Amino acid sequence: MTRKQKRMSVVLAGLAFLGAAAGLTFYALGQKASYFYMPADLATASVPPGQRIRLGGLVEKGTIVRGQGATVAFSVTDKQKSVKVTYTGILPDLFREEQGVITEGAFGPDGVFVADSVLAKHDERYMPKEVADGLKAKGVWQESTN
C-alpha cells in the first residue's frame, strides 16, 4: 500500500466514523421528540395511543376532579375542543382553572390523555409560548398591555 493509499484510507475511515456518529445522534434525538398539540389540532392529527406528545391550552373551568391519593383529572381546552387529562403527582402551585398549562404524556387506550408532567404559568402575565401562539392563532387569547 502506498503512502497516498494509506492516507486516503485513514480519511475515509474518519468520514465513515463521523457519519455513523451523526446518524446515531439524529436517531436518538428523533426518539426523544414530543410534538406540541392544542386540543383542536388533535381532531385532524392521527396520534396513536402511547405516542408521547405535549398537550397545551387552558384548564377548563369546572373540570378539576381530585381522585384517590395524588390523582387529578381535568380537561384542557382551546375554547374549541377539550381533552380529558389524568395526572398522578403533585401539581404546580399555580395550577388552577382557566390558566395556561402544558402537559406531557400519551393517550391511553380509552382516549384519555395520561400526563406524566404538568407545567403551569408562573405569573399573571406569562403564558407558555406554545400555548400563547396556539391560542392567538385561534383568536382566543390576547396579551395584556400592562
Side-chain angles (χ1 to χ4, degrees):
M1 195 182 254
T2 66
R3 191 171 170 193
K4 187 175 182 179
Q5 289 174 329
K6 287 180 184 177
R7 192 176 324 139
M8 189 58 112
S9 64
V10 168
V11 168
L12 288 176
L15 287 175
F17 176 77
L18 289 175
L24 288 172
T25 301
F26 287 123
Y27 176 75
L29 290 175
Q31 296 297 313
K32 292 295 270 180
S34 56
Y35 300 101
F36 178 81
Y37 294 97
M38 299 289 288
D41 298 338
L42 291 171
T44 59
S46 59
V47 179
Q51 179 183 347
R52 279 188 71 71
I53 64 167
R54 286 185 178 164
L55 173 66
L58 301 172
V59 177
E60 192 170 11
K61 188 173 186 168
T63 62
I64 299 174
V65 178
R66 306 224 180 245
Q68 279 189 322
T71 301
V72 179
F74 57 94
S75 291
V76 173
T77 185
D78 59 2
K79 302 290 186 181
Q80 292 177 353
K81 300 265 186 190
S82 294
V83 174
K84 292 185 180 189
V85 178
T86 61
Y87 174 69
T88 302
I90 299 172
L91 288 168
D93 290 338
L94 298 173
F95 178 87
R96 60 185 178 270
E97 295 176 342
E98 297 186 332
Q99 294 298 314
V101 68
I102 294 178
T103 60
E104 193 167 339
F107 280 99
D110 58 354
V112 175
F113 189 77
V114 180
D116 54 34
S117 69
V118 175
L119 305 171
K121 67 179 219 151
H122 71 335
D123 72 14
E124 68 276 357
R125 292 174 303 197
Y126 176 76
M127 174 79 64
K129 181 173 177 19
E130 294 97 344
V131 174
D133 292 345
L135 292 174
K136 284 179 191 175
K138 293 180 184 352
V140 174
W141 186 73
Q142 297 176 354
E143 277 186 86
S144 63
T145 56
N146 295 347

